[in-house]
Amino acid sequence: MLPMAMLLAAALTVHAGTSYDYDADDRYGVYAYAYSDTLYGPPDVTKWAPQPKPAPAAPPVLNYQVGNGDTMYQIARDFNISLQTLMDYNDITQPRGLQIGQTLRIPQPDENIGLPPGDAPVVSRVLSSTLTAYTAGIESTGKTAAHPDYGITYSGSRAEEGRTIAVDPKIIPIGATVYIEGIGIRKAEDTGSAIRGSRIDLFMNDVGQAREFGVKKNVKVFVLKEA
């Protein structure tokens, strides 16, 4: 004798709008799964199976090269992380005893700060700088467009907005790449009589924009170690 599910499947006629999983169950008193397997094949339960969660992405990492006078406390503060986080991330049990030239791995709680792609960059110094802006014109350099050195930087390159900054070479070497928080990557190519200490002058083409930029204080600047 055929099972009830098979007899039911043979006897039922498909009508538009009929759901056999439920309508037939109500009308004929059979369990939906009994004839559902017959009519449609076994249900695909894999779509209800719990899916593995992707592993959390590792935080972006910077490398910091310890310089003269650096302390774990200062480095942690510069990168806005706790001292304990810095110690744990570098398997350090005592905060004292750093060596000049030692490299520390710095986890970044936020997304990468905008440093160039590739291997984890090495930061050689973190500064709290005052930012101003300048142009190639007479108001900033004393030179007119007719001057043979108009627009030429201390390094010999032509000043370019979005790349060139003027620095104090005693603090940031000429040719160094820096990341300025809120600004981006810039290249130390120029100097200026008023640029002393950690102050940085950003080159701009338009004098109006340079004046509008004004003075911005306590801006964090990461000096990158050349590869």
Side-chain angles (χ1 to χ4, degrees):
M1 182 175 180
L2 292 175
M4 177 62 71
M6 295 182 66
L7 290 173
L8 178 61
L12 291 176
T13 302
V14 177
H15 299 288
T18 300
S19 171
Y20 285 102
D21 283 349
Y22 299 99
D23 294 350
D25 190 18
D26 292 339
R27 296 176 192 173
Y28 302 102
V30 296
Y31 292 107
Y33 71 83
Y35 59 82
S36 179
D37 285 359
T38 303
L39 293 176
Y40 307 115
D44 180 9
V45 297
T46 59
K47 60 185 177 182
W48 293 294
Q51 299 298 315
K53 294 182 179 180
V61 174
L62 295 176
N63 292 319
Y64 181 79
Q65 189 173 66
V66 176
N68 186 32
D70 279 340
T71 67
M72 291 285 287
Y73 302 96
Q74 180 65 46
I75 295 169
R77 188 174 68 177
D78 285 343
F79 288 97
N80 296 322
I81 58 176
S82 70
L83 174 62
Q84 192 61 52
T85 296
L86 180 61
M87 292 172 61
D88 291 346
Y89 214 73
N90 290 276
D91 297 323
I92 294 174
T93 56
Q94 296 295 331
R96 302 181 185 277
L98 289 178
Q99 302 295 318
I100 295 176
Q102 178 180 349
T103 298
L104 298 177
R105 299 173 70 243
I106 312 293
Q108 295 296 287
D110 303 319
E111 294 184 357
N112 192 295
I113 60 176
L115 297 174
D119 296 335
V122 177
V123 177
S124 62
R125 193 168 190 179
V126 181
L127 303 171
S128 180
S129 296
T130 296
L131 304 184
T132 51
Y134 76 109
T135 70
I138 193 169
E139 66 284 338
S140 295
T141 66
K143 300 171 185 175
T144 66
H147 195 285
D149 292 333
Y150 181 82
I152 303 301
T153 67
Y154 178 86
S155 66
S157 63
R158 182 166 294 279
E160 181 179 321
E161 184 172 343
R163 186 193 71 203
T164 301
I165 56 173
V167 300
D168 182 346
K170 295 178 181 178
I171 305 299
I172 301 176
I174 294 297
T177 299
V178 305
Y179 173 78
I180 304 173
E181 199 167 59
I183 301 293
I185 293 291
R186 294 294 186 271
K187 195 83 168 177
E189 298 180 324
D190 212 354
T191 61
S193 59
I195 307 304
R196 294 289 181 266
S198 62
R199 180 177 171 180
I200 292 175
D201 228 4
L202 281 70
F203 178 78
M204 294 185 177
N205 293 321
D206 183 74
V207 63
Q209 289 183 347
R211 287 172 177 164
E212 185 178 348
F213 184 82
V215 178
K216 294 177 171 48
K217 296 184 177 181
N218 302 317
V219 178
K220 191 167 290 186
V221 175
F222 300 83
V223 182
L224 305 186
K225 185 176 183 295
E226 295 300 319

